[in-house]
């Protein structure tokens, strides 16, 4: 190995598609300089996950009011041949809310994990976060378009801002494109 390649930083090695130098026992890992927009984006992803989970907790707390509202709508607009059984409606609402809570918790954990990896400069983590953000927006627009879930709206706004910060031209060097060579 030549002297010029031996003196490369980990960022320079990553730009060439190589892994960072291994860290030997007793050595301290090199400090990664995270651009400010990426650092802000990381905390926005964390906050978006927390807001998502908080929104689902709020819905679980308001479960009885939601169930009563649904029962009221069913009584006002009955479907012929399908009587409204309050126990079934309550069970369905309960199941749905717990499933939504599990989904929100999963999203929060994935946002935190991939935001952490993106903060380290992993380009594929940024891509996964982009897909997650698109999925969140699609859920809001296509599935929950009639609901006024403030928590979901705030979370989506935070995700959109975090995503924009990760794609600013000033941070493109933090996410190096790894060149591929064919055999």
């Amino acid at each position: 190995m030549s002297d010029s390649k031996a003196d490369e930083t980990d960022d320079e090695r990553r730009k060439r598609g190589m892994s960072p130098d291994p860290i030997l026992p007793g050595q301290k890992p090199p400090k990664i300089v995270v651009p400010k927009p990426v650092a802000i984006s990381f905390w926005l992803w964390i906050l978006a996950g927390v807001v998502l989970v908080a929104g689902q907790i709020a819905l679980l707390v308001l479960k009885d009011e939601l169930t009563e509202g649904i029962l009221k709508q069913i009584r006002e607009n009955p479907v012929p041949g399908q009587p409204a059984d309050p126990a079934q409606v309550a069970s369905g609402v309960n199941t749905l809310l717990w499933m939504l809570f599990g989904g929100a918790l999963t999203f929060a954990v994935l946002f935190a994990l991939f935001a952490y990896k993106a903060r380290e400069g992993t380009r594929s983590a940024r891509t996964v976060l982009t897909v997650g953000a698109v999925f969140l927006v699609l859920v809001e627009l296509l599935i929950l378009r009639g609901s006024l879930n403030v928590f979901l709206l705030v979370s989506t706004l935070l995700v959109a801002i975090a995503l924009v910060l990760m794609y600013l031209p000033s941070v493109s060097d933090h996410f190096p494109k790894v060149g591929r060579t064919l055999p």
Side-chain angles (χ1 to χ4, degrees), residues 102-121:
L105 198 58
T106 301
F107 261 90
V109 168
L110 291 175
F111 283 170
L113 172 68
F114 287 105
Y116 178 80
K117 295 303 286 179
R119 186 175 67 170
E120 289 181 340

Side-chain angles (χ1 to χ4, degrees), residues 48-170:
V50 168
V51 169
L52 264 179
V53 171
Q56 293 309 313
I57 290 172
L59 285 177
L60 283 169
V61 168
L62 300 171
K63 175 176 52 173
D64 293 335
E65 287 85 0
L66 285 171
T67 305
E68 287 303 317
I70 292 171
L71 283 171
K72 182 181 175 188
Q73 285 184 346
I74 291 174
R75 285 185 201 115
E76 290 173 359
N77 305 311
V79 177
Q82 292 183 344
D85 180 18
Q88 282 184 326
V89 171
S91 175
V93 168
N94 189 41
T95 301
L96 176 65
L97 291 180
W98 280 106
M99 287 175 57
L100 289 173
F101 177 75
L105 198 58
T106 301
F107 261 90
V109 168
L110 291 175
F111 283 170
L113 172 68
F114 287 105
Y116 178 80
K117 295 303 286 179
R119 186 175 67 170
E120 289 181 340
T122 305
R123 189 180 181 96
S124 60
R126 182 177 70 167
T127 304
V128 170
L129 287 170
T130 303
V131 171
V134 168
F135 184 75
L136 188 66
V137 169
L138 288 176
V139 164
E140 182 173 340
L141 293 177
L142 299 177
I143 297 173
L144 302 174
R145 64 177 175 239
S147 73
L148 292 174
N149 188 338
V150 175
F151 290 97
L152 185 59
L153 290 171
V154 169
S155 182
T156 304
L157 179 64
L158 291 171
V159 163
I161 294 168
L163 199 58
V164 167
L165 289 173
M166 292 177 70
Y167 281 95
L168 291 175
S170 64

